[in-house]
């Protein structure tokens, strides 16, 4: 599968999605955003897909929304651009299978926002993250004010947004913006290792865990617990539940089918 500025490699149920617009450090212009939307739309139809790894080509993950494209926007165009980016990042956040961000380099502005819309972030020790929009006289527009505050807490989020400070991977790990830091050369290997572990599990239960957390975290606990109970109940209608529990009793590894 090839898209403008994006490469997709799919094998053994794991898709590696690489944003490749290196001349602009993979900045998100309208074409890259459209391709991202199409990629995840198409991947959602892959019945054997188990996990996605999202990364950037070259020295950058994504250096933000495309500043040159935005320069002459009026407020109407800016709102449309923001809403478009937000809806694509929501599509990634709600993608039925886990999406791992392999943060290989700069993840700034829209790049940090993109990484935050993934389920977790594994960063290279060369990664640099931040929301430097205040340097441009704008706010984040692809979810940064909301997802950053939810991820690292409101005061650290405010510090990063107000100062525009770009932080290194070790600081990002300390504040919970990334989940793991790994030598640059081993980044993809480590992401693949995690994806392969997930790929062996019951894929319906993995998807339901994702849905339960994403939905539950936004609502009150009692309603969220009710939602969890519904998903738990639904897993008992699957082959994988029967197989998983039978395999436990028979002391063997479960052979899940995603059914
Ligand atoms: N938009 C458009 N082009 C970009 C870009 C961006 N976000 N980031 C980098 N580029 C381009 C540069 O203009 C440059 O192009 P030319 O060679 O044609 O001049 C090329 O990529 C290489 O960049 P640099 O020469 O600047 O590379 P560097 O290594 O010296 O610096 C950097 C790297 C610190 C990441 C620097 O490029 C930078 O500060 N980029 C902008 C980061 C930023 O502000 N991101 C937020 C964007 S706003 C946003 O994202 C809002 C939102 O939430 C929707």
């Amino acid at each position: 599968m090839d898209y403008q500025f994006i490469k997709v490699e799919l094998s053994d149920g794991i898709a590696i999605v690489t944003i490749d617009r290196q001349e602009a450090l993979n900045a998100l212009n309208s074409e890259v955003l459209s391709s991202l939307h199409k990629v995840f739309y198409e991947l959602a139809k892959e019945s054997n897909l188990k996990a996605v790894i999202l990364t950037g080509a070259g020295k950058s993950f994504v250096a933000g929304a495309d500043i040159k494209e935005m320069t002459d926007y009026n407020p109407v165009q800016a709102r449309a651009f923001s809403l478009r980016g937000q809806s694509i990042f929501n599509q990634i956040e709600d993608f039925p299978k886990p999406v791992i961000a392999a943060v290989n380099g700069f993840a700034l502005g829209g790049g940090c926002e993109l990484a935050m819309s993934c389920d977790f972030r594994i960063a290279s020790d060369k990664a640099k993250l931040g929301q430097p929009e205040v340097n441009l006289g704008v706010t984040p527009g692809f979810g940064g004010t909301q997802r950053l505050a939810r991820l690292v807490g409101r005061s650290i989020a405010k510090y990063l947004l107000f100062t525009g400070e770009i932080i290194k991977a070790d600081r990002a790990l300390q504040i919970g913006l990334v989940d793991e830091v790994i030598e640059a050369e081993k980044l993809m290997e480590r992401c693949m290792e995690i994806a392969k572990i997930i790929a062996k599990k019951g894929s319906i239960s993995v998807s339901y865990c994702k849905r339960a957390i994403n939905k539950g975290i936004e609502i009150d606990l009692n309603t969220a617990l009710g939602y969890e109970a519904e998903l738990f109940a639904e897993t008992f209608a699957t082959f994988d539940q029967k197989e998983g529990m039978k395999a436990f009793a028979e002391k063997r590894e479960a052979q899940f089918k995603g059914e």
Side-chain angles (χ1 to χ4, degrees), residues 10-59:
L10 180 57
S11 83
D12 296 332
I14 298 167
I16 300 178
V17 175
T18 307
I19 301 176
D20 190 356
R21 190 184 168 226
Q22 293 182 57
E23 65 276 16
L25 301 182
N26 305 329
L28 303 170
N29 62 11
S30 298
E31 287 77 29
V32 181
L33 285 174
S34 287
S35 293
L36 259 182
H37 164 68
K38 283 186 206 143
V39 165
F40 280 90
Y41 180 80
E42 292 301 327
L43 283 176
K45 296 185 209 160
E46 291 285 337
S47 54
N48 288 328
L49 185 73
K50 300 290 196 309
V52 179
I53 299 170
L54 177 62
T55 193
K59 69 172 183 178

Side-chain angles (χ1 to χ4, degrees), residues 133-171:
E133 283 86 349
V134 288
N135 295 329
L136 303 166
V138 297
T139 64
F142 291 168
T145 58
Q146 303 311 307
R147 289 200 175 92
L148 189 61
R150 281 164 173 73
L151 206 52
V152 303
R154 69 177 81 177
S155 57
I156 297 176
K158 283 177 181 168
Y159 175 83
L160 290 174
L161 291 176
F162 296 174
T163 63
E165 186 175 316
I166 292 172
I167 57 172
K168 292 185 180 161
D170 55 353
R171 175 69 183 143

